[in-house]
C-alpha cells in the first residue's frame, strides 16, 4: 500500500508541473446550506410528479485515519456544484412517496455497471443500456442507462450495483435511498413514527479489503475466497473521522459525517430518527452505548402487530444483516430535569486520571449518567465544550472496531448529548451605557433566583438655576446619558426633551414635555434620565455555534434607591432587548446605547414590551446567521445583549430602576 501511495504522489506531481489544477471544494458535493451534522439529502430536480437524479459511476480515493488511502469506485452526483466530483458513498437520494423517480446513470468505469433498488413496490424499468444478469447495465466507458420506478412504500432503502456484485459493491457502488411518507417530513412512516426533523441521522455500514481494491486499481488478479477486510466504515469514513462535520475539508471525497447529536427529550417532544443500512457483505453487531433505541422498521417496512398496532422493540444493540436496513427512534427522557450548572445529577465528577485535556477543554464520557463540571485545572475553561457528554457507538465485533487491525477506530461513531435546551452561556461582564448601577453584580444574571442586577437611571445636576424660558441648559456631567439621539430627562416635576448637544455638558432642550409645564429650577437641581441602558457580555461562545437563542428575565421598580421593589401601578416602562451584530460596524458598533450595531431581537414576543414590577421572561431566536453575533478578533467568542427600558410617556413619568434576574444564551456548539 505504501507503493500505491508513492505512485499516486508521482502522478499528481507530474500533472502539477505542466497544468494548473482546479480542485473542487470539500463541501461542493453537498447541497447549498447542508447541515454540518445529520443526514444530508440530495434532492435531485423535480418536474411535476417526477424527481430526477443524474449519477456518474467513477473512480477515486478515500482517506483512512491511519494515513493510508484506498482506491474506490462510487456513484457521484452529476448535478452537484462540483459537477460530479468523486464521493464515497454515493449521494443520499431523498424522494417523497407517490413520486416517479428517474435515475440516469453514466458509467465512467472500465466495465459495465448498473443500479438496483431493493425493496421497491413497483417494477423498475430501464431505458438504454444492455441486459445484464440482474438488471440493465450501462456499458463501460461513458455508457448510459436510465431507471424509472414509482416510490411506493416510505422507508429507508439501499441502492447498489447489480453488476458483478461481489466486486462492485465491495468497491463502493452503493448509497442510501430515503422515501419520505406523503403525510409529511416529520414522520418516518406514519403518525406512530413521528420524529424531530432536525435530528435525523444516517449510519451506512460497509467494509473494505484494501488488497482487493489495490488489485482492481492495478489490474491484478484477486481470489475473493481470500478476502480479509481491514477497514470498517460508517458513511464512508472510519473512526475518528466519522465524527468530523459533513463536508469537512479534511475528507474532500467523503462528505458525510456520522456523529449523532441529541438533547434530553422533554415529555411530549419528538425523538431522533436513526436510519441504518448495511451495504457490506458481512453482518455487523452494532452497539450504541448510553441508551436504548426503539426499532420501528426493517427493510423499509414499519413493524406492526397483526392488529395493526406498533410492534416496535427496545434494543441495546442490534445485528444488522448484509443488505438490510433498519430504522430506530432514540429518546433521552430527562426525568431529573438536568442542568450542568444549576441542577446537576448526583454523579461525582471524574478523577483527572480519567479525563483528557485538550486545547482548554476536557473530554470525558465514562459515567453512566450525565454529570457536572466540578473543579477544573488552571487554564481549562470548560468540561468538553459546554458540559455535554459523549457515548461510543460501535461494532461489537472488535476486529471491526479498528483501522487496519489498530484499535480503536473503524466502524464507530459517537452519541453527543447536549444539556437540555442546548449549550448554555451566562454573562461574564457588564457595562452600563445609560444608567447607574444600583446593586448586584453581573454574576447575578446567571441564575433564575431572587438576586437581581439593578440599574437606575443616570442622574446629573444643574450648576446654575433654570428659568422657565431657557432652551439651552448646562449640566455638571453628561456621562452615562446617550451621546446621540433624542431622549427625555426630568428636573423636579418638569420633563424636558434633549434634542442637541448630546454627549456634551450643554444641551438644547424642548421644555414642558409629556403633559408637564415649564418651570424654574434651583441651582443644583437633579436631572434624571427617563431610560436605562445596560448590556451584558458573554465570552467563550465558540465560532460556528448555531441555533442561538437569548433569554432575559427581569422587572422594573418605582424606586431608584430602595432595596425593596416599589410596584409601578400605571404608566409602566417599555423594554426592548437588543443584540450586537458585529458585522454592521465592528467593535465600535456596540460601544454606546445608540451605536449602529445594536439590532432589536425579533418577535415573538413583540418589542418593546410593557414590563412592570412582575418578572417577565422572554426568549428570542436570533435573526439570520449566528456568526454575525459572535465576535471575532479582539472580541472573539463575545456576544453582547443590551436591555433598553424607557418611561417617556405621559402622565407622571417618574424615575424607575430596572432589575435583571436572568440572562442566558442557548446554542448548538460545533
Amino acid at each position: 500500500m505504501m507503493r500505491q501511495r508513492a505512485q499516486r504522489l508521482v502522478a499528481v506531481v507530474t500533472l502539477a508541473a505542466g497544468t494548473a489544477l482546479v480542485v473542487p471544494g470539500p463541501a461542493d458535493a453537498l447541497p447549498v446550506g447542508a447541515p454540518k451534522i445529520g443526514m444530508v439529502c440530495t434532492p435531485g430536480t423535480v418536474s411535476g410528479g417526477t424527481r430526477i437524479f443524474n449519477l456518474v459511476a467513477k473512480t477515486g480515493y478515500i482517506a483512512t485515519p491511519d494515513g493510508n488511502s484506498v482506491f474506490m469506485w462510487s456513484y457521484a452526483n452529476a448535478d452537484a456544484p462540483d459537477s460530479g466530483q468523486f464521493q464515497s458513498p454515493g449521494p443520499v437520494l431523498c424522494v417523497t412517496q407517490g413520486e416517479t423517480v428517474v435515475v440516469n446513470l453514466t458509467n465512467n468505469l472500465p466495465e459495465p455497471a448498473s443500479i438496483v433498488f431493493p425493496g421497491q413496490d413497483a417494477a423498475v424499468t430501464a431505458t438504454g443500456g444492455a441486459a445484464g444478469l440482474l438488471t440493465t447495465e450501462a456499458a463501460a466507458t461513458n455508457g448510459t442507462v436510465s431507471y424509472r420506478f414509482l416510490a411506493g412504500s416510505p422507508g429507508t432503502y439501499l441502492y447498489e450495483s447489480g453488476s458483478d456484485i461481489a466486486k462492485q459493491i465491495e468497491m463502493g457502488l452503493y448509497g442510501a435511498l430515503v422515501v419520505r411518507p406523503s403525510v409529511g417530513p416529520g414522520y418516518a412512516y406514519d403518525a406512530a413514527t413521528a420524529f424531530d426533523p432536525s435530528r435525523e441521522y444516517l449510519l451506512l455500514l460497509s467494509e473494505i479489503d484494501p488488497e482487493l481494491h489495490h488489485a482492481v486499481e492495478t489490474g491484478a488478479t484477486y481470489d475473493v475466497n481470500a478476502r480479509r477486510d481491514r477497514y470498517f466504515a460508517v458513511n464512508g469514513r472510519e473512526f475518528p473521522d466519522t465524527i468530523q462535520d459533513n463536508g469537512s475539508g479534511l475528507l474532500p471525497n467523503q462528505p458525510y459525517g456520522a456523529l449523532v447529536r441529541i438533547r434530553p427529550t422533554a415529555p411530549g417532544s419528538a425523538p431522533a430518527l436513526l436510519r441504518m443500512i448495511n451495504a457490506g457483505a458481512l453482518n455487523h453487531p452494532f452497539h450504541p452505548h448510553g441508551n436504548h433505541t426503539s426499532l420501528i422498521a426493517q427493510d423499509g417496512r414499519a413493524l406492526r402487530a397483526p392488529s395493526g398496532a406498533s410492534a416496535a422493540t427496545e434494543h441495546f444493540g442490534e445485528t444488522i444483516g448484509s443488505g438490510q436496513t433498519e430504522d430506530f427512534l432514540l429518546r433521552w427522557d430527562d426525568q431529573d430535569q438536568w442542568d450542568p450548572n444549576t441542577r446537576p445529577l448526583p454523579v461525582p465528577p471524574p478523577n483527572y486520571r480519567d479525563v483528557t485535556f485538550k486545547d482548554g477543554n476536557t473530554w470525558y464520557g465514562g459515567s453512566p449518567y450525565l454529570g457536572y463540571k466540578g473543579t477544573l485545572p488552571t487554564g481549562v475553561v470548560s468540561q468538553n465544550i459546554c458540559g455535554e457528554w459523549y457515548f461510543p457507538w460501535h461494532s461489537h465485533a472488535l476486529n471491526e472496531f479498528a483501522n487496519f487491525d489498530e484499535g480503536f477506530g473503524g466502524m464507530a461513531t459517537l452519541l453527543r448529548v447536549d444539556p437540555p435546551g442546548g449549550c448554555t452561556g451566562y454573562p461574564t461582564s457588564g457595562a452600563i451605557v445609560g444608567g447607574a448601577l444600583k446593586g448586584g453584580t453581573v454574576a447575578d444574571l446567571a441564575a433564575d433566583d431572587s438576586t437581581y442586577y439593578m440599574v437606575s437611571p443616570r442622574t446629573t445636576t444643574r450648576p446654575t438655576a433654570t428659568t422657565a424660558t431657557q432652551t439651552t441648559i448646562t449640566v455638571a456631567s453628561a456621562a452615562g446619558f446617550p451621546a446621540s439621539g433624542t431622549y427625555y430627562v426630568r428636573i423636579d416635576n418638569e420633563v424636558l426633551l434633549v434634542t442637541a448637544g448630546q454627549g456634551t455638558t450643554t444641551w438644547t432642550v424642548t421644555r414642558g414635555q409629556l403633559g408637564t409645564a415649564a418651570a424654574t429650577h434651583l441651582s443644583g437641581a437633579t436631572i434624571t434620565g427617563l431610560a436605562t441602558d445596560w448590556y451584558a457580555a458573554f465570552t467563550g461562545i465558540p465560532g460556528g455555534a448555531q441555533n442561538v437563542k437569548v433569554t432575559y428575565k427581569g422587572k422594573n421598580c418605582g424606586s431608584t434607591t430602595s432595596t425593596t421593589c416599589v410596584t409601578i401601578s400605571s404608566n409602566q416602562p417599555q423594554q426592548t432587548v437588543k443584540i450586537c451584530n458585529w458585522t454592521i460596524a465592528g467593535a465600535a458598533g456596540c460601544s454606546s446605547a445608540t451605536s449602529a450595531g445594536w439590532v432589536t431581537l425579533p418577535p415573538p414576543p413583540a418589542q418593546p414590551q410593557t414590563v412592570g414590577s412582575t418578572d417577565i421572561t422572554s426568549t428570542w431566536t436570533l435573526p439570520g446567521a449566528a456568526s454575525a453575533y459572535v465576535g471575532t478578533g479582539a472580541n472573539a467568542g463575545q456576544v453582547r445583549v443590551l436591555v433598553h427600558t424607557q418611561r417617556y410617556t405621559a402622565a407622571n413619568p417618574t424615575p424607575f430602576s430596572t432589575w435583571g434576574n436572568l440572562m442566558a444564551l442557548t446554542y448548538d456548539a460545533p
Side-chain angles (χ1 to χ4, degrees):
M1 297 305 291
M2 291 301 101
R3 179 171 60 86
Q4 168 194 332
R5 292 171 60 84
Q7 289 172 340
R8 290 182 59 208
L9 179 61
V10 170
V12 171
V13 170
T14 302
L15 281 171
T19 308
L21 296 180
V22 178
V23 180
D28 287 349
L30 302 182
V32 175
K36 292 184 176 181
I37 297 174
M39 188 178 80
V40 178
C41 282
T42 297
T45 57
V46 178
S47 176
T50 301
R51 191 175 296 267
I52 304 169
F53 301 93
N54 295 301
L55 303 184
V56 182
K58 61 197 316 181
T59 66
Y61 291 87
I62 64 168
T64 56
D66 55 356
N68 205 350
S69 63
V70 178
F71 178 72
M72 298 285 295
W73 292 357
S74 189
Y75 301 112
N77 179 17
D79 297 325
D82 58 26
S83 299
Q85 178 191 357
F86 175 83
Q87 68 171 75
S88 181
V92 180
L93 309 183
C94 293
V95 305
T96 301
Q97 182 182 15
E99 288 182 329
T100 296
V101 182
V102 174
V103 180
N104 300 315
L105 174 65
T106 299
N107 180 22
N108 288 346
L109 299 175
E111 63 186 53
S114 62
I115 307 177
V116 292
F117 304 89
Q120 298 309 304
D121 296 338
V124 178
T125 61
T127 303
L133 181 62
L134 297 180
T135 187
T136 304
E137 300 177 332
T141 315
N142 296 322
T144 62
V145 64
S146 179
Y147 303 98
R148 177 184 293 264
F149 61 93
L150 180 68
S153 298
T156 304
Y157 301 96
L158 175 69
Y159 71 90
E160 59 189 350
S161 175
S163 306
D164 195 357
I165 57 176
K167 172 185 176 182
Q168 293 195 4
I169 296 177
E170 158 70 27
M171 287 301 298
L173 291 184
Y174 49 77
L177 169 66
V178 173
V179 179
R180 299 195 184 283
S182 56
V183 293
Y187 303 91
Y189 293 87
D190 51 23
T193 58
F195 71 97
D196 180 353
S198 68
R199 309 288 178 185
E200 182 177 16
Y201 302 94
L202 172 69
L203 302 179
L204 193 160
L205 311 182
S206 61
E207 61 266 356
I208 295 171
D209 179 354
E211 296 296 334
L212 184 154
H213 289 248
H214 185 56
V216 172
E217 180 182 18
T218 60
T221 59
Y222 179 81
D223 182 1
V224 176
N225 294 318
R227 172 176 166 173
R228 181 180 178 187
D229 297 306
R230 300 282 192 166
Y231 295 107
F232 300 87
V234 184
N235 294 349
R237 302 178 183 179
E238 296 80 22
F239 187 82
D241 291 346
T242 52
I243 62 174
Q244 294 286 338
D245 287 345
N246 295 325
S248 169
L250 300 174
L251 301 156
N253 295 337
Q254 297 148 274
Y256 303 133
L259 177 67
V260 177
R261 181 172 179 174
I262 63 172
R263 297 176 185 174
T265 314
S269 61
L273 174 65
L274 309 174
R275 301 181 184 271
M276 290 192 67
I277 302 176
N278 183 1
L282 303 178
N283 300 338
H284 298 293
F286 201 78
H287 174 51
H289 287 224
N291 209 352
H292 290 76
T293 57
S294 179
L295 178 65
I296 60 170
Q298 288 184 337
D299 299 322
R301 298 296 184 269
L303 298 178
R304 292 285 181 263
S307 64
S310 172
T313 52
E314 294 292 314
H315 293 254
F316 197 55
E318 177 72 8
T319 297
I320 179 168
S322 174
Q324 190 174 42
T325 74
E326 295 182 336
D327 296 314
F328 298 88
L329 295 179
L330 173 64
R331 301 186 62 89
W332 192 293
D333 292 315
D334 184 22
Q335 298 180 3
D336 297 282
Q337 299 180 352
W338 167 65
D339 185 289
N341 298 289
T342 62
R343 192 180 287 111
L345 295 183
V347 179
N351 187 290
Y352 288 160
R353 290 176 295 181
D354 300 325
V355 176
T356 298
F357 297 98
K358 171 66 175 174
D359 298 332
N361 295 318
T362 338
W363 302 92
Y364 175 75
S367 171
Y369 303 99
L370 302 176
Y372 58 95
K373 290 184 177 180
T375 303
L376 300 174
T378 302
V380 177
V381 298
S382 69
Q383 179 169 285
N384 295 350
I385 296 176
C386 64
E388 79 280 9
W389 294 89
Y390 296 85
F391 296 88
W393 286 18
H394 63 96
S395 170
H396 243 221
L398 294 185
N399 65 300
E400 299 179 358
F401 199 3
N403 295 315
F404 215 112
D405 299 335
E406 293 293 331
F408 291 109
M411 192 172 283
T413 186
L414 294 178
L415 168 67
R416 171 174 171 168
V417 183
D418 283 344
C423 303
T424 306
Y426 299 97
T428 54
S429 63
I432 299 174
V433 291
L437 182 64
K438 172 186 173 182
T441 66
V442 72
D444 295 328
L445 295 168
D448 186 358
D449 52 20
S450 59
T451 306
Y452 290 86
Y453 182 64
M454 294 179 279
V455 179
S456 294
R458 177 64 67 176
T459 61
T460 187
T461 58
R462 281 280 288 129
T464 59
T466 308
T467 69
T469 58
Q470 281 182 265
T471 57
T472 301
I473 62 174
T474 57
V475 297
S477 172
F481 288 88
S484 63
T486 59
Y487 54 89
Y488 290 101
V489 296
R490 185 183 183 93
I491 309 178
D492 298 330
N493 290 320
E494 180 189 355
V495 176
L496 297 79
L497 177 64
V498 180
T499 60
Q502 300 93 330
T504 74
T505 56
T506 302
W507 293 350
T508 300
V509 294
T510 302
R511 306 294 299 274
Q513 299 294 295
L514 303 182
T516 65
T520 60
H521 307 287
L522 298 176
S523 173
T526 299
I527 302 174
T528 305
L530 296 182
T532 62
D533 289 283
W534 57 276
Y535 70 77
F538 301 76
T539 57
I541 307 302
Q546 299 294 322
N547 301 321
V548 182
K549 295 184 179 181
V550 175
T551 297
Y552 174 71
K553 180 177 183 179
K555 60 185 177 181
N556 295 299
C557 301
S559 169
T560 59
T561 56
S562 172
T563 57
T564 301
C565 182
V566 176
T567 299
I568 302 176
S569 57
S570 63
N571 186 29
Q572 294 182 339
Q574 301 297 300
Q575 186 169 279
T576 304
V577 180
K578 305 180 180 183
I579 192 165
C580 179
N581 185 324
W582 299 97
T583 67
I584 294 177
C590 300
S591 57
S592 71
T594 55
S595 296
W598 296 111
V599 295
T600 301
L601 290 168
Q607 297 202 75
Q609 287 190 90
T610 298
V611 180
S613 303
T614 301
D615 278 318
I616 291 181
T617 301
S618 300
T619 298
W620 295 269
T621 299
L622 270 60
S627 58
Y629 309 100
V630 181
T632 58
N635 298 301
Q638 185 177 144
V639 174
R640 291 183 185 177
V641 179
L642 180 140
V643 179
H644 170 79
T645 313
Q646 65 186 44
R647 199 181 186 198
Y648 291 168
T649 55
N652 192 27
T654 53
F656 65 95
S657 55
T658 297
W659 294 31
N661 185 350
L662 171 71
M663 186 180 285
L665 293 180
T666 57
Y667 56 92
D668 289 340

